[in-house]
Amino acid sequence: MQTSFAGGGLMTAGASPDPAGSGSEFPADFSADLSVDPASGFLAPVSRGSSSGSGAAVAAMALTRLGDSCFQPQAAPGEYLDCSALVQWCYERLGASVPRTAADQAKYCQEHFLTIPRSQLQCGDLIFWSFEKNGRFQNISHTGIYAGDGKIIDASYSRSQVVYRDLYDPEKIVMCGRIPVKQ
Protein backbone atom coordinates (compact mmCIF):
# COMPACT_ATOMS: atom_id res chain seq x y z
CA MET A 1 0.00 0.00 0.00
CA GLN A 2 1.34 3.46 -0.88
CA THR A 3 0.31 6.78 0.56
CA SER A 4 0.82 10.22 -0.96
CA PHE A 5 3.31 12.35 0.92
CA ALA A 6 2.96 16.10 1.32
CA GLY A 7 5.79 16.83 -1.13
CA GLY A 8 4.17 14.75 -3.86
CA GLY A 9 6.26 11.63 -3.25
CA LEU A 10 4.94 8.26 -2.20
CA MET A 11 5.34 6.44 1.07
CA THR A 12 4.77 2.77 1.66
CA ALA A 13 2.75 2.12 4.80
CA GLY A 14 5.08 1.62 7.75
CA ALA A 15 8.05 3.28 6.04
CA SER A 16 9.63 6.52 7.18
CA PRO A 17 8.90 9.27 4.67
CA ASP A 18 11.82 10.91 2.89
CA PRO A 19 10.26 13.45 0.53
CA ALA A 20 13.52 14.71 -0.90
CA GLY A 21 15.01 11.28 -1.42
CA SER A 22 18.01 12.67 0.44
CA GLY A 23 18.45 9.76 2.81
CA SER A 24 17.70 12.05 5.75
CA GLU A 25 16.56 10.28 8.85
CA PHE A 26 13.21 11.05 10.40
CA PRO A 27 12.19 9.82 13.84
CA ALA A 28 10.69 6.33 13.83
CA ASP A 29 7.44 7.76 15.18
CA PHE A 30 7.27 10.46 12.45
CA SER A 31 4.18 8.97 10.82
CA ALA A 32 2.44 8.67 14.19
CA ASP A 33 1.97 12.45 14.20
CA LEU A 34 0.55 12.46 10.68
CA SER A 35 -2.56 11.11 9.07
CA VAL A 36 -3.80 10.99 5.50
CA ASP A 37 -6.19 13.83 4.72
CA PRO A 38 -9.07 12.11 2.89
CA ALA A 39 -9.81 15.20 0.79
CA SER A 40 -6.30 15.71 -0.59
CA GLY A 41 -4.69 12.30 -0.10
CA PHE A 42 -1.67 14.02 1.47
CA LEU A 43 -0.21 13.50 4.90
CA ALA A 44 -1.17 16.18 7.39
CA PRO A 45 -0.46 16.74 11.08
CA VAL A 46 -2.82 15.03 13.48
CA SER A 47 -4.80 17.63 15.40
CA ARG A 48 -4.87 16.65 19.05
CA GLY A 49 -6.54 18.42 21.93
CA SER A 50 -7.63 21.96 21.25
CA SER A 51 -5.37 22.59 18.26
CA SER A 52 -7.11 24.86 15.80
CA GLY A 53 -7.72 23.86 12.20
CA SER A 54 -5.87 26.96 11.01
CA GLY A 55 -2.79 25.96 13.00
CA ALA A 56 -2.89 22.50 11.48
CA ALA A 57 -3.06 24.17 8.05
CA VAL A 58 0.14 26.13 8.82
CA ALA A 59 1.97 22.96 9.88
CA ALA A 60 0.64 21.05 6.87
CA MET A 61 1.90 23.81 4.57
CA ALA A 62 5.35 23.65 6.21
CA LEU A 63 5.42 19.86 5.76
CA THR A 64 5.21 20.34 2.00
CA ARG A 65 8.68 21.90 2.16
CA LEU A 66 10.40 19.03 4.03
CA GLY A 67 13.81 18.35 2.53
CA ASP A 68 13.96 21.68 0.68
CA SER A 69 17.35 23.38 0.82
CA CYS A 70 17.96 26.20 3.20
CA PHE A 71 20.68 28.76 2.80
CA GLN A 72 20.34 31.99 4.73
CA PRO A 73 22.32 34.40 2.49
CA GLN A 74 20.07 33.58 -0.49
CA ALA A 75 16.83 33.04 1.41
CA ALA A 76 13.60 34.05 -0.29
CA PRO A 77 10.21 32.52 0.48
CA GLY A 78 9.83 30.81 -2.90
CA GLU A 79 13.43 29.66 -3.37
CA TYR A 80 16.11 28.88 -0.80
CA LEU A 81 14.68 29.10 2.67
CA ASP A 82 15.85 30.12 6.05
CA CYS A 83 13.76 29.72 9.18
CA SER A 84 11.79 32.93 8.82
CA ALA A 85 11.35 32.60 5.05
CA LEU A 86 9.70 29.21 5.68
CA VAL A 87 7.30 30.81 8.16
CA GLN A 88 6.58 33.71 5.81
CA TRP A 89 5.98 31.35 2.87
CA CYS A 90 3.51 29.21 4.85
CA TYR A 91 1.52 32.13 6.21
CA GLU A 92 1.36 33.95 2.88
CA ARG A 93 -0.19 30.89 1.26
CA LEU A 94 -2.83 30.90 3.97
CA GLY A 95 -3.70 34.58 3.58
CA ALA A 96 -1.63 36.16 6.38
CA SER A 97 1.17 38.64 5.90
CA VAL A 98 4.09 38.33 8.32
CA PRO A 99 7.43 40.17 8.49
CA ARG A 100 10.53 38.65 6.87
CA THR A 101 12.93 37.97 9.79
CA ALA A 102 12.47 35.82 12.88
CA ALA A 103 13.08 38.79 15.17
CA ASP A 104 10.55 40.92 13.28
CA GLN A 105 8.02 38.06 13.32
CA ALA A 106 8.38 37.83 17.11
CA LYS A 107 8.09 41.61 17.44
CA TYR A 108 4.93 41.48 15.29
CA CYS A 109 3.47 38.84 17.62
CA GLN A 110 4.20 40.98 20.66
CA GLU A 111 2.91 44.22 19.12
CA HIS A 112 -0.33 42.54 18.01
CA PHE A 113 -0.94 40.67 21.29
CA LEU A 114 -0.34 37.30 19.62
CA THR A 115 2.16 35.90 22.12
CA ILE A 116 1.22 32.80 24.08
CA PRO A 117 2.77 30.90 26.99
CA ARG A 118 4.82 27.87 25.99
CA SER A 119 2.39 25.72 27.99
CA GLN A 120 -0.37 26.64 25.50
CA LEU A 121 1.48 25.69 22.29
CA GLN A 122 -0.74 24.23 19.59
CA CYS A 123 -0.02 22.87 16.15
CA GLY A 124 0.97 25.75 13.84
CA ASP A 125 2.22 28.11 16.56
CA LEU A 126 5.57 29.82 16.20
CA ILE A 127 8.51 29.29 18.53
CA PHE A 128 11.35 31.82 18.74
CA TRP A 129 14.87 31.09 20.02
CA SER A 130 17.76 33.30 21.12
CA PHE A 131 21.14 31.61 20.99
CA GLU A 132 23.37 34.67 21.49
CA LYS A 133 23.29 38.45 21.69
CA ASN A 134 22.72 39.81 18.19
CA GLY A 135 21.11 43.22 18.71
CA ARG A 136 17.79 42.13 17.21
CA PHE A 137 14.45 42.09 19.02
CA GLN A 138 15.00 39.99 22.18
CA ASN A 139 18.18 38.67 20.49
CA ILE A 140 16.00 36.29 18.46
CA SER A 141 17.89 34.36 15.82
CA HIS A 142 15.67 31.39 14.93
CA THR A 143 12.03 30.40 14.53
CA GLY A 144 10.16 27.17 13.91
CA ILE A 145 6.59 25.97 13.49
CA TYR A 146 5.23 23.78 16.26
CA ALA A 147 3.81 20.54 14.84
CA GLY A 148 2.29 19.16 18.06
CA ASP A 149 3.45 16.43 20.42
CA GLY A 150 6.84 18.04 21.07
CA LYS A 151 7.81 18.26 17.37
CA ILE A 152 8.73 21.22 15.17
CA ILE A 153 9.20 21.96 11.49
CA ASP A 154 12.03 24.37 10.77
CA ALA A 155 14.84 25.23 8.39
CA SER A 156 17.83 23.57 10.02
CA TYR A 157 21.14 25.29 9.37
CA SER A 158 23.14 22.27 10.55
CA ARG A 159 21.26 19.98 8.15
CA SER A 160 20.87 22.59 5.37
CA GLN A 161 17.24 21.66 4.80
CA VAL A 162 13.72 21.93 6.15
CA VAL A 163 13.24 19.22 8.77
CA TYR A 164 10.66 17.72 11.11
CA ARG A 165 12.22 16.99 14.50
CA ASP A 166 11.91 17.03 18.26
CA LEU A 167 11.64 20.42 19.91
CA TYR A 168 15.15 21.33 21.06
CA ASP A 169 16.92 23.82 23.35
CA PRO A 170 13.83 24.72 25.40
CA GLU A 171 15.99 26.88 27.68
CA LYS A 172 16.78 29.12 24.66
CA ILE A 173 13.11 29.72 23.74
CA VAL A 174 12.26 33.35 24.42
CA MET A 175 8.77 33.63 22.95
CA CYS A 176 5.91 31.74 21.34
CA GLY A 177 3.21 33.22 19.12
CA ARG A 178 -0.01 32.34 17.35
CA ILE A 179 -0.79 34.25 14.15
CA PRO A 180 -4.33 33.70 12.84
CA VAL A 181 -4.83 32.64 9.23
CA LYS A 182 -7.85 32.47 6.92
CA GLN A 183 -9.25 29.05 6.19
Side-chain angles (χ1 to χ4, degrees):
M1 176 182 161
Q2 293 185 331
T3 305
S4 297
F5 183 69
L10 295 176
M11 179 180 88
T12 304
S16 294
D18 183 9
S22 63
S24 60
E25 294 294 322
F26 290 94
D29 65 346
F30 177 79
S31 61
D33 296 330
L34 304 172
S35 66
V36 177
D37 176 4
S40 68
F42 292 117
L43 289 176
V46 174
S47 294
R48 293 187 170 91
S50 61
S51 179
S52 70
S54 62
V58 172
M61 188 64 63
L63 285 171
T64 69
R65 300 300 299 262
L66 284 180
D68 284 3
S69 296
C70 64
F71 185 62
Q72 189 172 17
Q74 294 181 356
E79 299 170 18
Y80 286 105
L81 297 171
D82 66 5
C83 62
S84 56
L86 173 65
V87 167
Q88 188 180 46
W89 183 88
C90 292
Y91 277 89
E92 282 179 352
R93 283 179 180 48
L94 296 169
S97 178
V98 298
R100 172 60 188 89
T101 69
D104 286 342
Q105 290 169 358
K107 187 176 180 181
Y108 175 87
C109 286
Q110 184 174 37
E111 289 174 347
H112 292 87
F113 306 101
L114 301 171
T115 61
I116 57 167
R118 191 180 326 174
S119 62
Q120 293 180 13
L121 277 171
Q122 295 179 9
C123 188
D125 290 343
L126 301 179
I127 301 172
F128 300 97
W129 286 264
S130 173
F131 294 105
E132 60 188 32
K133 285 190 172 193
N134 61 18
R136 297 178 187 142
F137 179 73
Q138 293 192 16
N139 294 310
I140 290 171
S141 57
H142 189 66
T143 186
I145 299 169
Y146 188 66
D149 295 328
K151 306 285 188 185
I152 62 162
I153 306 158
D154 69 331
S156 167
Y157 302 117
S158 63
R159 298 178 189 179
S160 300
Q161 65 181 348
V162 177
V163 297
Y164 172 88
R165 59 180 163 171
D166 290 333
L167 180 64
Y168 62 92
D169 291 338
E171 71 283 356
K172 306 266 185 184
I173 295 172
V174 294
M175 183 185 291
C176 299
R178 180 175 300 142
I179 299 175
V181 296
K182 299 174 185 176
Q183 281 201 285

